[in-house]
Structures are given as structure tokens and as C-alpha cells.
Amino acid sequence: MLRQPAQAMLIDLDGVLRRWDPAVPAAVEKSYGLAPGTLIETAMSWELLRPAVAGEITDAEWMRLVATRLPLPEADAKAAVAQWQEHRGTIDQEVLDFVRSVRAAGRPVGLATNATDLLRGDLAELGLAEEFDTVISSWELKVHKPAPEFFTQACAALNVEPPWVLFVDDDDRAVRGARAAKMPALRWTGPQDLPYLRKALGLPA
């Protein structure tokens, strides 16, 4: 806990504010005879994911690479990936309400996420385009969490020094990277973390 309340917050998108329904890829995998977990495991392999979130390739190019790795005929692989990608996630309303309360209390909030070029469109589709004071996208910065430059630029976007920016993410590597950048950081485990975050930001319980 900070000795004084944090002046701003950076929050991750996937796994914190946005939820992905595991039933969606599971249904696609079952339909195409793929082993459970194949789609996520293939897409999240670092050799494919890294260039997608580092701004080196587009989301469409990333998904084309994923399709080439699936043990399916080319047409089926492309169709399976397209069907999976139709789902763009859902928002955790409790977390969104928290973000709104932080901003209402005068604390700026930035979305800080490893993302692809689809981020801005997804935010609009999910009704999140106006919910943050700034959006820090790894694809746009061409640098991804947990690189020190990501956190430096994210804090600069909020115009708040790192020791006063509370960082929230579900990925332990990102949290450790933020702490190395002199930021207070919490590894998100669920809504049970909200009381701690409110205290860290000096908000009423």
C-alpha cells in the first residue's frame, strides 16, 4: 500500500476489464475436430503473438499465421479462425463501474494493454471508447509490456510520475515490469481486489 494515495491508474484490458468466453473457441474446436485448447495455444505462441502486439504485423496477418498452424485443410483452418474471431469479448461491469468511480474522483485512468490494430475498433464496439483518459496500446507504441519503455510512455501519457501511478494487470510478468519501473502494481485476481485498489487510490470503500 502506498503511504499516500496514487494519483492515477493504468489498467489492463484482457483478463481484467474484458472477459473472453472459453465456450466460444471450445465450440469451434469441437466443430472442426481440433483438440481442446488448440486455438488459444496456437495464437498465444510467442513467435506468433509477439509481432502482433509489437506493431510489426496486423491482427489479420496474425490470424492468417494461426490458420497455417492448424492441422486442418487451408479453407477449414481459415473458416475456423474467422468463426472464433467473431466473438470480441464481454465487459466486466463491476470493473467498469470501478474505473468510472476512479475517474469521477478526479484520478485519471489509462488503459494500458498489449494489443493489435483492432484495439480501437474493439473499444468502440464494446462501448469503451470514452471510458479512459488515455489509451496506451503496444501496437501503436511498437513496444509491449513488460518493456520499461512501455511503462515510461504510459505514465507520460497520464502526465503523472511512475511512483504515483497504480498499475493493475492479470499477468505477473507485466506486474513485475511495472514494479521495476518504480510503479506500485497489483496482479489482478478478480473483483475481490477492488477494496485494496480503492484504498490505494484514496477512494471510499
Side-chain angles (χ1 to χ4, degrees), residues 16-37:
V16 182
L17 185 55
R18 175 164 63 176
R19 302 294 182 185
W20 297 101
D21 185 353
V24 173
V28 175
E29 288 160 351
K30 183 176 181 181
S31 177
Y32 285 88
L34 294 170

Side-chain angles (χ1 to χ4, degrees), residues 27-45:
V28 175
E29 288 160 351
K30 183 176 181 181
S31 177
Y32 285 88
L34 294 170
T38 296
L39 290 170
I40 298 294
E41 290 172 9
T42 303
M44 295 301 158
S45 63

